Amino acid sequence: CPVLCASCALRKFTRAKFIEWLKDLEPTTVAMEACGTAHFWGRKLQAEGHTVRLIPAQHVKAFCRVHKSDSGDALAITEAAGQPKMHCVAVKTLQQQDLQVLGRVRSKAVAQRSELISQARGLASEYGVTIPTSRAAFMRHLPLALEDAENALTHVARFALLNLLEDIRAIDQRLEAMAQQTAALASQNPAYERLLTVPGFGPVVAPAFLAAVGEGKQFQRGRDVSAWLGIVPKQHGTGGKVQMLRISKNGDRELRMLLIHGARAVLRWADRRNDALGRWLRDLIARRGQNRAVVAFANKMARIGWAVLRGEKHFDINKAFRPKAAKQAAAA
């Protein structure tokens, strides 16, 4: 068989012996399921001269037989890797892996901070101390409430809330340090500065996009990126009739969320923009509404981001948001 499945159960190896075994092989194609540690093994195998094909798990499952076993999974991976139009996952570089690690840790820290803020607000409300919902207002009002001797907070409640406030401040410091580390690492890639010129791409979205997409060579066009991220309509067709449903929500959930947040930030000031993007957004909002316009612009951001990665130029707003008649004339 021209494809070697790395999870084959016919022979069992330890991790160290598996690498030694592969060193003695002629350069071949190694197929693996895109799961935990797959990118680590992909880099190891590429360093030995092998071609690596990482198959998404949902595509491998379609080739599984009735029963699940190691040998059955190996056969399914081999059959999936042999399909001519099988979309494989690109092996991440160490820089992409580092950016992804920082992004995942940041996301967890933000969730923990939100949890602590909600807990502190709920506990304070039991003593009649109400705090506004926004984080900035919370950080202003809670220290004042702790210093106010006339409210109903007891000594024990003040002690507990002070501990929560210190935990939140510690998370803020960690997030600031991670932001500096992320910016320093992402700035080593020349495409990072070009991504920052795209509306909606900031110091959080741009590194996450670089970590997930890399150089973008695994995609033929920008629409493939947005489809991979699940921000295109899901299709249901039969008998020649195609029905467009809600977005598919495939792919990287974290990156899709960040793109939508970036798009929402841009749409917030759409009425104050007098450029081509502002006119395009206002027309889109008038036709489809605010929420659909946010998702549509997130789709546009993914496509523009891929074009910026693959090109050598910065973002040109007049070229990206030209009227349809102008685009047709330029194509003609």
Side-chain angles (χ1 to χ4, degrees):
C1 178
V3 178
L4 172 67
C5 178
S7 63
C8 182
L10 299 179
R11 298 182 62 181
K12 293 185 178 181
F13 300 95
T14 62
R15 291 177 174 83
K17 289 184 177 180
F18 179 65
I19 288 292
E20 294 298 325
W21 179 66
L22 288 174
K23 288 181 179 179
D24 298 331
L25 290 179
E26 294 294 328
T28 185
T29 299
V30 182
M32 296 185 293
E33 193 175 55
C35 56
T37 71
H39 293 283
F40 166 77
W41 286 110
R43 291 191 295 270
K44 285 284 187 181
L45 293 166
Q46 287 178 340
E48 299 298 332
H50 300 289
T51 301
V52 180
R53 302 198 71 190
L54 300 183
I55 314 299
Q58 65 269 26
H59 298 332
V60 174
K61 186 176 181 180
F63 292 90
C64 289
R65 301 299 191 267
V66 178
H67 302 289
K68 176 174 173 56
S69 62
D70 291 340
S71 59
D73 290 346
L75 179 60
I77 293 172
T78 304
E79 292 181 357
Q83 298 302 307
K85 294 186 178 180
M86 178 60 64
H87 174 72
C88 297
V89 178
V91 178
K92 292 185 184 299
T93 64
L94 282 176
Q95 186 189 52
Q96 287 180 265
Q97 206 84 58
D98 289 343
L99 287 174
Q100 188 180 62
V101 166
L102 290 172
R104 294 294 188 266
V105 174
R106 177 192 176 277
S107 178
K108 185 65 176 179
V110 170
Q112 291 174 342
R113 183 178 63 183
S114 299
E115 180 183 351
L116 291 175
I117 290 175
S118 297
Q119 183 183 27
R121 290 184 66 252
L123 294 175
S125 66
E126 297 294 335
Y127 294 88
V129 178
T130 57
I131 302 175
T133 55
S134 69
R135 180 171 60 89
F138 173 86
M139 298 303 292
R140 291 195 306 268
H141 284 74
L142 183 58
L144 297 177
L146 294 176
E147 295 176 0
D148 187 3
E150 297 182 358
N151 58 33
L153 290 175
T154 63
H155 177 72
V156 175
R158 294 177 194 275
F159 173 77
L161 291 174
L162 179 60
N163 278 280
L164 290 177
L165 180 61
E166 291 175 350
D167 289 343
I168 295 169
R169 287 171 173 169
I171 292 178
D172 285 339
Q173 294 177 357
R174 287 166 47 199
L175 287 173
E176 180 64 26
M178 279 188 286
Q180 296 176 1
Q181 180 71 18
T182 301
L185 181 61
S187 61
Q188 298 176 10
N189 191 328
Y192 176 67
E193 296 296 334
R194 299 200 302 269
L195 276 178
L196 291 180
T197 62
V198 181
F201 278 86
V204 176
V205 182
F209 194 81
L210 283 174
V213 180
E215 296 180 357
K217 294 181 179 179
Q218 66 273 33
F219 301 104
Q220 294 183 356
R221 60 189 67 88
R223 192 186 185 283
D224 293 343
V225 181
S226 57
W228 171 67
L229 289 172
I231 44 181
V232 296
K234 184 184 294 185
Q235 298 183 14
H236 183 272
T238 181
K241 298 181 180 179
V242 179
Q243 182 181 9
M244 307 301 287
L245 306 176
R246 296 185 177 184
I247 60 174
S248 62
K249 296 184 179 181
N250 294 327
D252 193 331
R253 179 181 179 182
E254 182 77 15
L255 179 56
R256 183 173 62 251
M257 178 193 68
L258 291 176
L259 286 172
I260 290 177
H261 283 333
R264 185 176 289 112
V266 175
L267 261 73
R268 184 179 180 183
W269 308 103
D271 57 340
R272 301 187 183 183
R273 301 184 70 108
N274 296 321
D275 52 11
L277 173 58
R279 293 188 292 271
W280 184 84
L281 288 175
R282 287 192 293 271
D283 179 65
L284 181 61
I285 294 172
R287 288 187 291 109
R288 305 301 292 171
Q290 185 80 15
N291 291 333
R292 289 179 178 175
V294 167
V295 178
F297 184 59
N299 184 325
K300 190 82 167 177
M301 285 174 57
R303 300 169 72 163
I304 294 174
W306 175 84
V308 170
L309 288 179
R310 298 296 295 140
E312 297 289 337
K313 300 179 180 179
H314 287 69
F315 170 69
D316 186 353
I317 193 170
N318 295 316
K319 182 178 179 181
F321 295 95
R322 286 183 298 176
K324 184 178 295 185
K327 291 183 179 180
Q328 293 174 351

